[in-house]
Amino acid sequence: LVPITWDEAIDTIARRILAAPERFAFYGSGQWTIPEGYAAQKLMKAGLSSNQIEPNARLCMASAVTGYLATYGVDEPAGVYDDLDVADVILCWGNNPAEMHPILFSRIIDRRTRGEKVTLIDMGTRRTRTTEHAQHYLELKPQGDLAVANGVMRLLLERGTWAKDFVARHCAFRGAAEPATLQGQAIDEQAFRKGLEPFTPEYVHEVAGILPADLSLLADLFGNPALKITSLWCMGMNQHTRGTAINSLVHGLHLLSGHFGRPGDAPTSLTGQPSACGTAREVGTFAHGLPGGLRVDNEEHRHEAEALWNVPAGRVSPKLGFHTVEMWKQFCTPKPQAGAPPGTGGAIDTMWVQVTNPGQTLPNLGPLFRAKEGLEDKFLIVSEVYPTATTELADLILPSAMWVEKNGMYGNSERRTQQWFRMVSPPGDARDDAWQTIAVSHRLLELGHPGMLDKSGRWIFETKDGSGAEVPIWDFTHYYDVNVDERLFNEYRGFTRMKHKDLAPYSEYVKARGLRWPVVEQADGTWRETRWRFAEPHDPYVPKGAGFAFYHSVSKDGRAQIWSHPYTPPPEVPDESYPFWLCTGRVIEHWHSGTMTMRIPPLRRAMPGAYVELNPDDARRLGISQGERVLLESRRGK
């Protein structure tokens, strides 16, 4: 590690980009603030005409996003955290909020201390700290959640306890198409019922492990319109091979039973990062995305983005970038030799990582990260606060400011956008990630990259003060002369109307403790947030008297989709060679990749490393005792 100046670092990055913009990629996460992600997004798509940008949210949230899109035609949840305060039943589908969402979970437990009754059902493949607080623990076989959701819907239809009027007025049935698409194909109620026929309580018990009495319990609850039911899920549903299907089925179960759109009645996907929604999904920092839910492969959306960014027509490329796994594969593959056939790998030479630790969190780390070592033509830039597994292979490390050391905004999984001002100055030479991105853009401008100018001949990040004079925000000594977050956010707002993700002006977030979108201006000049989306009177886009309106409906008729998805066994099941399931879990002391929490001595002492849980009968048979080390081996590694 050889110290250099910030000027040299910024110049190094800019010159590498300038040499081959199409071979440069940006990798961030849901820990980017909204302005940081927007700055990276604008640099890439409005400046470099490149879609090689991804967040690690691709790995954790893709199933949840596609479930929302397939059901409602637009991403992001309809419910809010307020549901936890009033729900009669809270059902956890393969997640562990006691450890992974402890603040939210405390809202549930605090209700009990006030004498309120709330039934908590924990459905998962292993007992966790959440199980300790649950009245019912339903143990699943991996991927059995698909059979459970189908089995409950079968019982609702069989008993006649489904929400017939709600479904008739506001829903449509949907089946898979070949090849698979998010639109699928329309089916009728009869075809939907036929798809559920196999899911008897006995069959669900066989493939999912859930007892018939427990399946009946779930059907009793969902079949009772007087109850308010909130479903919560996270990686347990999202990470198996049928993640999109189970997300769609749980939304469908809530729609079929009518447990939707009222306080306490909601299917809610929880995110693990503070701004996986606000910065990844809403700002669209994906290889296919544009801000506000727009897409680069949609011509109308590209024109909209070019107009808002004031860049020449054609500046936003229609060519999809690489998704996360392919991006890292390309980075870790040597550059093709002269004369190699077109399409030969190694298409990314320079990778800039901000606010994440892919050296620890990527899947298949051997070929997707560690293979970078020794490749002289590959250059890894990492913006970080602490040494991590990623900085071990970095060619350039930039010291970043932490969240308390900079202005910021986050958007969470109840559509809440929240703003803060920096509380302390960053130590030493540490600087904001957004400044780093903007400084590289300005250096590219100085070096003559034409994409750093808009069609009026102005720098794409030009920022003026109240008197109209340009502020040199690329110079960190002047970065806080103005509020750069405010300038970036108010520009980003313009994108959010097309998909009814309306955001208020930045100044409104300074006054409020977060606002949930869509946030719509009222006749008296005040701004109104939305809690229960698609439902009257909460959502301003639902016409008066309609009750509900799914205004981005896949079927183009204002209806939400109730999907039919069969259960299929996991692609690998235990056999003689590999007799065990491996299901990953989380512990509270190892937040994210432990970059911060593992540096705190009490947490380190409490949980110094990961551990394996094994059934006592298997442990006895194998002669394994508590505290011993074991070697886990799969078909892919050990």
Side-chain angles (χ1 to χ4, degrees), residues 60-79:
C60 59
M61 297 310 300
S63 300
V65 170
T66 47
Y68 282 120
L69 288 169
T71 304
Y72 311 110
V74 66
D75 180 25
E76 308 290 344

Side-chain angles (χ1 to χ4, degrees), residues 244-437:
T244 295
I246 183 57
N247 270 267
S248 301
L249 286 174
V250 173
H251 288 298
L253 173 56
H254 274 263
L255 293 166
L256 186 72
S257 63
H259 288 285
F260 182 89
R262 302 179 304 175
D265 271 326
T268 299
S269 158
L270 297 174
T271 57
Q273 298 182 102
S275 202
C277 295
T279 308
R281 291 154 70 178
E282 292 164 29
V283 176
T285 51
F286 289 92
H288 68 276
L290 286 166
L294 312 186
R295 293 181 57 103
V296 299
D297 54 358
N298 181 307
E299 185 177 11
E300 181 188 356
H301 293 179
R302 291 197 305 277
H303 292 333
E304 179 86 6
E306 287 162 349
L308 286 164
W309 278 329
N310 190 39
V311 295
R315 177 72 65 82
V316 178
S317 170
K319 182 183 178 183
L320 296 176
F322 298 123
H323 62 70
T324 289
V325 173
E326 186 63 28
M327 179 182 282
W328 283 97
K329 181 181 175 184
Q330 294 290 334
F331 181 65
C332 290
T333 302
K335 189 188 292 186
Q337 300 298 311
T344 305
I348 301 295
D349 294 341
T350 302
M351 180 81 82
W352 190 354
V353 174
Q354 290 185 346
V355 295
T356 187
N357 185 15
Q360 184 145 332
T361 57
L362 282 171
N364 214 0
L365 278 167
L368 293 186
F369 183 76
R370 294 185 187 125
K372 184 265 180 195
E373 192 165 13
L375 298 180
E376 295 297 324
D377 58 334
K378 303 294 178 169
F379 196 83
L380 178 62
I381 306 152
V382 182
S383 300
E384 250 302 349
V385 176
Y386 298 121
T388 67
T390 307
T391 62
E392 288 176 18
L393 291 188
D395 299 285
L396 177 60
I397 300 171
L398 307 176
S400 288
M402 290 186 73
W403 70 278
V404 290
E405 299 163 356
K406 60 190 177 186
N407 293 346
M409 304 183 82
Y410 280 150
N412 73 2
S413 52
E414 64 161 352
R415 295 174 278 109
R416 182 190 294 272
T417 308
Q418 192 154 323
Q419 175 273 351
W420 73 90
F421 293 117
R422 66 173 175 173
M423 289 153 243
V424 293
S425 296
D429 287 323
R431 297 182 182 180
D432 306 33
D433 293 65
W435 173 83
Q436 297 172 27
T437 303

Side-chain angles (χ1 to χ4, degrees), residues 103-379:
I103 306 302
L104 282 182
F105 193 71
S106 70
R107 291 173 71 157
I108 302 168
I109 302 309
D110 286 351
R111 290 179 58 193
R112 291 180 175 171
T113 67
R114 297 193 296 267
E116 296 178 31
K117 183 183 177 185
V118 54
T119 299
L120 179 64
I121 301 174
D122 181 32
M123 185 161 57
T125 55
R126 59 185 277 265
R127 291 177 179 270
T128 67
R129 294 187 205 183
T130 299
T131 316
E132 296 170 12
H133 299 275
Q135 284 95 332
H136 304 279
Y137 170 59
L138 314 183
E139 189 156 286
L140 278 175
K141 294 180 182 179
Q143 212 148 297
D145 46 9
L146 285 106
V148 171
N150 278 309
V152 175
M153 288 195 282
R154 183 186 188 277
L155 286 175
L156 292 175
L157 291 170
E158 187 179 277
R159 297 172 177 180
T161 54
W162 56 297
K164 304 176 192 65
D165 292 342
F166 175 80
V167 172
R169 289 184 62 194
H170 303 296
C171 302
F173 294 104
R174 210 88 186 157
E178 290 295 336
T181 67
L182 283 179
Q183 285 71 43
Q185 60 181 353
I187 59 173
D188 59 18
E189 182 188 321
Q190 187 176 355
F192 181 75
R193 286 176 178 268
K194 187 172 180 58
L196 293 176
E197 282 178 4
F199 294 96
T200 62
E202 294 72 27
Y203 175 72
V204 173
H205 173 58
E206 178 188 339
V207 298
I210 296 285
L211 294 172
D214 289 331
L215 192 74
S216 183
L217 165 72
L218 294 175
D220 288 344
L221 296 171
F222 275 101
N224 184 349
L227 293 176
K228 292 169 285 191
I229 303 176
T230 291
S231 286
L232 301 177
W233 66 92
C234 197
M235 295 303 106
M237 268 173 44
N238 293 343
Q239 292 293 320
H240 67 61
T241 56
R242 299 293 307 287
T244 295
I246 183 57
N247 270 267
S248 301
L249 286 174
V250 173
H251 288 298
L253 173 56
H254 274 263
L255 293 166
L256 186 72
S257 63
H259 288 285
F260 182 89
R262 302 179 304 175
D265 271 326
T268 299
S269 158
L270 297 174
T271 57
Q273 298 182 102
S275 202
C277 295
T279 308
R281 291 154 70 178
E282 292 164 29
V283 176
T285 51
F286 289 92
H288 68 276
L290 286 166
L294 312 186
R295 293 181 57 103
V296 299
D297 54 358
N298 181 307
E299 185 177 11
E300 181 188 356
H301 293 179
R302 291 197 305 277
H303 292 333
E304 179 86 6
E306 287 162 349
L308 286 164
W309 278 329
N310 190 39
V311 295
R315 177 72 65 82
V316 178
S317 170
K319 182 183 178 183
L320 296 176
F322 298 123
H323 62 70
T324 289
V325 173
E326 186 63 28
M327 179 182 282
W328 283 97
K329 181 181 175 184
Q330 294 290 334
F331 181 65
C332 290
T333 302
K335 189 188 292 186
Q337 300 298 311
T344 305
I348 301 295
D349 294 341
T350 302
M351 180 81 82
W352 190 354
V353 174
Q354 290 185 346
V355 295
T356 187
N357 185 15
Q360 184 145 332
T361 57
L362 282 171
N364 214 0
L365 278 167
L368 293 186
F369 183 76
R370 294 185 187 125
K372 184 265 180 195
E373 192 165 13
L375 298 180
E376 295 297 324
D377 58 334
K378 303 294 178 169
F379 196 83

Side-chain angles (χ1 to χ4, degrees), residues 22-100:
E22 74 285 358
R23 303 183 71 83
F24 167 68
F26 219 137
Y27 189 66
S29 80
Q31 294 174 84
W32 259 329
T33 67
I34 291 170
E36 285 168 352
Y38 182 73
Q41 174 84 307
K42 188 174 185 182
L43 170 69
M44 297 299 292
K45 292 173 182 171
L48 299 177
S49 297
S50 170
N51 295 319
Q52 304 294 9
I53 180 172
E54 280 279 282
N56 66 9
R58 171 78 70 183
L59 302 175
C60 59
M61 297 310 300
S63 300
V65 170
T66 47
Y68 282 120
L69 288 169
T71 304
Y72 311 110
V74 66
D75 180 25
E76 308 290 344
V80 286
Y81 294 162
D82 303 46
D83 293 315
L84 303 178
D85 303 331
V86 294
D88 300 302
V89 179
I90 294 172
L91 175 56
C92 295
W93 295 76
N95 63 319
N96 177 15
E99 296 189 76
M100 291 300 94

